[in-house]
Amino acid sequence: MAYVISEDCIACGTCIDECPVGAISEGDIYRIDPEICSECGTCVDACPTGAIHPEA
């Protein structure tokens, strides 16, 4: 199951730097491409606001 980024995202860029497959794109709220996400969870651990969680 891919991860998603909630509205708690502050667009700090930490998750982009940590994603090993480049699945995260920038914006007011960052987005994770579910087709690219490898479900490794690295972004979850890196996010300072806890805005990343498994897709429901």
Side-chain angles (χ1 to χ4, degrees):
M1 179 178 303
Y3 288 89
V4 293
I5 301 176
S6 73
E7 292 183 7
D8 293 331
C9 175
I10 59 171
C12 66
T14 303
C15 59
I16 285 181
D17 295 336
E18 296 298 320
C19 182
V21 295
I24 303 171
S25 58
E26 295 182 58
D28 291 338
I29 294 175
Y30 285 27
R31 305 264 180 239
I32 299 174
D33 184 331
E35 297 294 319
I36 299 172
C37 180
S38 66
E39 304 172 19
C40 69
T42 303
C43 58
V44 175
D45 296 333
C47 182
T49 63
I52 304 174
H53 53 85
E55 186 175 43

